[in-house]
Structure formats: structure tokens, C-alpha cells
Amino acid sequence: MTGSALRHWDHPAYTARLQAGRTALAQLLTDRRLDRDRPMTGLELELDLVEPNGDPAFANDSVLEHLHTSGEEDALYGAQHELGAFNIELNLPPRLLDGAGISWYESDLAAVLSEVREAGDKAGVQVCPIGTMPTLYTDHMGVDALSRTKRYRILNDEIMSQRGEDLRIDIRGAESVDYTSSTIAPEAANTSVQFHLQVSPEDFARYWNAAQAIAGVQVATGANSPYLFGRQLWAETRVILFEQGTDTRRANQRKAGAKPRAWFGERWIDGVLELFDENYRHFAPLLPLCDEEDPLAVTAAGGVPSLRELRYHNGTVYRWNRPVYDVCSGRPHVRVENRVVAAGPTAVDICANMALFYGLVVHYANAPVPLSERMDFDRAAANFRSAARHGIQADQWWPGRGLVPVRALVLEELLPAAAEGLAAMGVVSRDIGRYLGVIEARCRRGVNGSTWQVARVQVAEHRQRLERRDALRAMVLDYAARSADGRPVHDWEV
């Protein structure tokens, strides 16, 4: 479908279908027909592909062909295209976290990453789980940097059509970038890991609010995105790039205070439906993908509606903690999708980030006095922004402590809280100690993916006398090799 054809799709009819989906979801909530079983978890991981010289490899078609011997996109852990031609996405099957669930995630991640690396070898490229692609430059930008999958070309056309002008990437950090793009290709620089937690509808608000309150801590400890277009910017540049790279607002809308599609939010919530209502109120549809289903009729007949339009629309509102409606084995449910943390650096680092998220969110969602009653929402938003700028050296405002270095906060208060939350989920003590121990070591040493990247580039520039572009290439190749080795990033030599 071309951009011209898209501009003629029937927005009013599609909006009506979205509203019908919202009404159907409200009825499912009222009738208590959503799943209330033990909380399933899930994980999605996005990866970059790298040429032998360290540049981005626009080769996801080739790598996926080697992975999908059956020709099906779900042949290997849902391996599929992502936005950029140098990205792929993996989806691990959902599971309970009790027992050795986190160790099983690590084993599965290591195994699937090994298979992807083998496919990469066959395609002549390497695999790099990293937050923003350090060797992606403005001369790589253009529509050919996007996956050839129809969905992403439609998304590009519609975002640019709604915006009505080129995207502007304007980021001021340690260095600065000011670049305009006629496509959404800059957004493809971002890769992340997403953690999913299924919850009962009655509990959703407590879990979403808790996830928002701890988002700054997650970003600070897991930052892995210091470079874009050859410049050192924020510790987690991915946050501001996501906001600017998906911005559909016209100049007058931005001036009037319209919400960006990559949005932290503006308040604590009382129920999941509030977030879907905000989707309708603030954001125009981007993907005109319709189902034949009549969701109201299906719901009235006692069936389970797929709510495809609602789900596609929700998927183009890039909240850092996103509400998800889904159907699994014929049973509908809602879950929190946590999109805060960058990809990588290794399977154990990803699982350590997972342990911190699940442990903290379960602990604080079930606390006698929730964080949402002890912290202003604006404080949580400011924590998130500060963490993105400064990473593991950020300060965070915390109830009862005021403004405190995040490393001290994690070591003194949050690691014990996360351990309690994981224990409440039935996670074995061996896994609790192993994965939270990785977070502890990062904080004690002041090292995460972002700090390692910066230090490694500085070594290449000052000791090896390399120009910035070659220094970044050397760092990326070193990073990819160490990521494959599997040791957590706080143990990497510079």
C-alpha cells in the first residue's frame, strides 16, 4: 500500500471499529471474563546486525532466511523483521517465573542467540544486542534502511503523512546531534528488551503504577545507549530518540502541548481501561489493518473477541509501560509490557534486568502503601528523564529519602525489596542471588553497558589514536565478541 493510498483510507470507519473494540473490552472487564490465573511472564528481544567492519548490516532478510528453514516466521522463537533492515526481533514463549524460571530464560536466550549468530555467520554478518546502533550514521538514513516488510513501510508513510514535515532529531548531551530525516529510519537505531507480566484486571493499576515508579531505576542501572550518529549523547539516548523518531505531531500541535507517541504518561491510573481511552483521545490511528470480526457481537454471544484494531492501535502508542490485551489458548487477559530497558549486553545481563523489574514491581504493587500514594507522578517522570540522561550516575527522588544517588538507593533499599518480590513469586534463592548480584556489582563498580561503551571508545581514541568512526567500529566489534562470550558487562575489560 502506498502513502497516497493510505491517505485515502476511511479514518472515521476505522475509528468506529476502535471504539467498538474499546466497548467490547469494557464489557469483558465488567463481566469478569479476563484470565485471573497465576502471573505468566514473557520476553521480547530486538537485535542489531553488524558487518565484519563494524558498520550496520542491512541483512535481516538474509539472516531470517537462514533461521526459517520451514519458511514460517515463527520457526525460531518468533524470529521476525523489526523496523530497520539491520534489526530482527525474537519472542520467547511465556512461562511462570517460579522455581528456576529466570535461569530457564537465560538458557533459552543463550541458545537462541547462538542459533541467530550461526545464521548471521552464514549471511556474513555478526549479531549485536545493543541499545542504539553506535555505527549508524546519517549517511545510512533513507527508506532503504527500513525493513521491506509491508507493515513498516506503511508505518513510515503514515507517520510522515500525519507529521507533514521531516522529522527532527535534536539531542543535546555530552555532545549534540541536530538532524532532519524524510523517513522514520533514525528510530531503527533503537533496540530494546520487553518484559511482560500478566495480571488480573483488578490488580492492573497497582502493577502499572509500580512499573512507572521504578522506571527511572531500571533505565539508570540498565543504560546501554550512549551513541547516535557518531556522537556521545545521553546514557540512554534511546529514550529521547524514541520520542523524537516517532513524533507524528505537527508544529502547531507540539506548540499546543499534544502528546508524543513515545510517552511516559501524565498521571497514576485507577484501571486499565483509562490507558486505552487515552489512546483514543490523544493518538490518531497509523495502521489501517481491519478484521472481519464484530467485537460487540462476539462479546455479546459469550465469545472471545480478538480486538485486532484495538491491539494494532495500541501497538503504535509507544508507552514505556504499555497495557496489552491478548488472547492465549482461547483465554483473554491483560498484561503490563515493560519497554524501558535497552537490549543486551548479554543473556545474563538481560535476565538481571528482568529480575530487578519483576522483583520490584511485585514488591511495590503489593506494598501496604503503594508508591503512587508516596510519590507525585511528576517525580516519577523526572526520575525517568534524569536516568536516561545520566545513567548509573543519576540521582533519583525516592519516598522517605529525597534525592539520592541511584547506586546507593539500589544497594541500600531496592535490592532487598526486589529479593522479597521475587521470593513472593516463588523464584528460588539461587536465582535471586545470581541475578540481583549482577545489579549489585554494576552499582558497586559504577559500570553498565553505557559506561563500558564510552570507556572503550575513549581507549580507542586516545590510546589507539583512532578517529571517532573507527573507534566506534572497534568498540562495536569488541562489544559483539564479548556479548557472545556471555560474561556480564560489569566484568568486561576495557
Side-chain angles (χ1 to χ4, degrees):
M1 189 178 297
T2 67
S4 175
L6 274 171
R7 283 189 284 274
H8 291 91
W9 58 279
D10 191 340
H11 282 260
Y14 192 80
T15 300
R17 294 185 67 88
L18 283 175
Q19 187 60 41
R22 184 266 179 210
T23 303
L25 177 57
Q27 192 62 52
L28 292 173
L29 291 166
T30 298
D31 294 345
R32 297 176 59 84
R33 289 167 53 190
L34 294 175
D35 203 346
R36 286 167 170 76
D37 280 355
R38 298 169 68 192
M40 296 292 288
T41 67
L43 184 151
E44 301 173 58
L45 176 63
E46 299 157 359
L47 303 170
D48 284 328
L49 305 173
V50 179
E51 296 283 3
N53 70 349
D55 283 343
F58 299 90
N60 62 1
D61 285 340
S62 179
V63 172
L64 289 169
E65 284 174 9
H66 288 295
L67 284 172
H68 300 144
T69 55
S70 68
E72 296 292 332
E73 284 227 324
D74 60 353
L76 177 73
Y77 287 109
Q80 58 190 294
H81 293 86
E82 244 297 329
L83 176 61
F86 55 98
N87 310 139
I88 62 173
E89 179 184 296
L90 306 172
N91 293 270
L92 269 64
R95 65 185 58 169
L96 295 169
L97 211 63
D98 58 357
I102 307 179
S103 289
W104 295 335
Y105 268 122
E106 184 188 352
S107 296
D108 282 357
L109 266 177
V112 71
L113 286 170
S114 177
E115 293 192 53
V116 175
R117 289 186 177 102
E118 288 182 16
D121 289 342
K122 294 175 183 177
V125 302
Q126 298 184 47
V127 173
C128 189
I130 199 165
T132 50
M133 186 65 214
T135 54
L136 188 75
Y137 275 75
T138 56
D139 53 15
H140 293 121
M141 294 297 92
V143 72
D144 289 340
L146 300 174
S147 287
R148 289 186 288 181
T149 304
K150 181 178 177 181
R151 172 184 175 180
Y152 295 117
R153 296 303 175 98
I154 292 174
L155 191 65
N156 175 73
D157 291 344
E158 192 64 11
I159 285 178
M160 299 311 297
S161 173
Q162 288 193 16
R163 182 177 173 84
E165 61 182 0
D166 286 352
L167 285 167
R168 185 180 179 194
I169 307 301
D170 182 11
I171 306 173
R172 310 303 165 107
E175 299 170 343
S176 63
V177 160
D178 192 347
Y179 172 70
T180 57
S181 175
S182 61
T183 72
I184 63 171
E187 167 55 24
N190 287 333
T191 50
S192 61
V193 61
Q194 289 103 51
F195 305 128
H196 293 254
L197 180 62
Q198 180 182 332
V199 298
S200 70
E202 295 80 9
D203 293 337
F204 183 92
R206 290 191 292 112
Y207 278 89
W208 187 86
N209 289 340
Q212 291 286 90
I214 66 169
V217 172
Q218 287 184 269
V219 169
T221 55
N224 197 27
S225 311
Y227 290 103
L228 178 69
F229 299 154
R231 299 289 186 230
Q232 182 189 344
L233 301 173
W234 292 11
E236 190 58 21
T237 302
R238 195 176 116 261
V239 166
I240 185 65
L241 177 59
F242 220 128
E243 180 179 310
Q244 296 181 2
T246 58
D247 195 352
T248 56
R249 300 172 298 173
R250 293 177 180 264
N252 63 325
Q253 293 171 323
R254 295 193 298 273
K255 187 176 180 180
K259 312 302 180 188
R261 296 189 88 95
W263 189 33
F264 186 78
E266 61 186 2
R267 59 188 175 87
W268 307 118
I269 64 167
D270 294 317
V272 62
L273 207 59
E274 294 175 29
L275 299 177
F276 288 104
D277 287 344
E278 286 182 347
N279 288 357
Y280 296 125
R281 186 163 63 249
H282 295 305
F283 306 109
L286 289 177
L287 292 174
L289 302 171
C290 294
D291 203 339
E292 296 300 317
E293 171 190 85
D294 180 342
L296 296 177
V298 170
T299 304
V304 176
S306 69
L307 306 187
R308 189 181 185 211
E309 292 86 2
L310 177 145
R311 290 155 70 184
Y312 270 118
H313 183 48
N314 187 51
T316 63
V317 179
Y318 305 106
R319 297 177 185 275
W320 295 104
N321 285 293
R322 178 189 279 164
V324 174
Y325 167 87
D326 206 351
V327 180
C328 183
S329 301
R331 301 172 70 177
H333 68 266
V334 290
R335 62 181 186 260
V336 176
E337 179 189 14
N338 178 255
R339 305 163 46 80
V340 163
V341 182
T346 65
V348 67
D349 283 305
I350 290 167
C351 290
N353 292 335
M354 168 190 284
L356 184 68
F357 169 68
Y358 287 129
L360 288 180
V361 81
V362 168
H363 175 83
Y364 286 112
N366 293 286
V369 181
L371 287 173
S372 57
E373 293 182 13
R374 303 170 60 203
M375 178 190 299
D376 289 340
F377 189 89
D378 288 347
R379 297 258 193 205
N383 281 347
F384 181 71
R385 204 74 167 183
S386 174
R389 283 184 174 273
H390 305 295
I392 205 162
Q393 301 303 331
D395 292 334
Q396 299 279 279
W397 189 93
W398 201 253
R401 301 190 62 140
L403 201 63
V404 60
V406 70
R407 294 165 62 185
L409 176 64
V410 170
L411 291 170
E412 296 166 7
E413 184 168 342
L414 299 190
L415 285 177
E420 289 182 11
L422 292 173
M425 296 182 79
V427 177
V428 295
S429 59
R430 180 184 65 254
D431 274 11
I432 295 173
R434 169 173 167 75
Y435 296 106
L436 294 185
V438 171
I439 304 298
E440 179 182 2
R442 287 185 205 163
C443 291
R444 292 200 183 280
R445 300 182 189 183
V447 174
N448 58 15
S450 183
T451 64
W452 183 88
Q453 290 185 53
V454 171
R456 181 65 180 83
V457 168
Q458 289 174 347
V459 165
E461 288 182 321
H462 299 300
R463 294 185 191 171
Q464 299 171 272
R465 307 295 186 187
L466 297 181
E467 297 293 331
R468 173 63 64 84
R469 194 157 188 164
D470 288 332
L472 287 168
R473 286 172 173 144
M475 181 273 286
V476 165
L477 293 175
D478 195 4
Y479 180 106
R482 293 177 185 276
S483 177
D485 176 69
R487 287 182 302 140
V489 71
H490 68 263
D491 280 340
W492 291 7
E493 300 84 4
V494 174

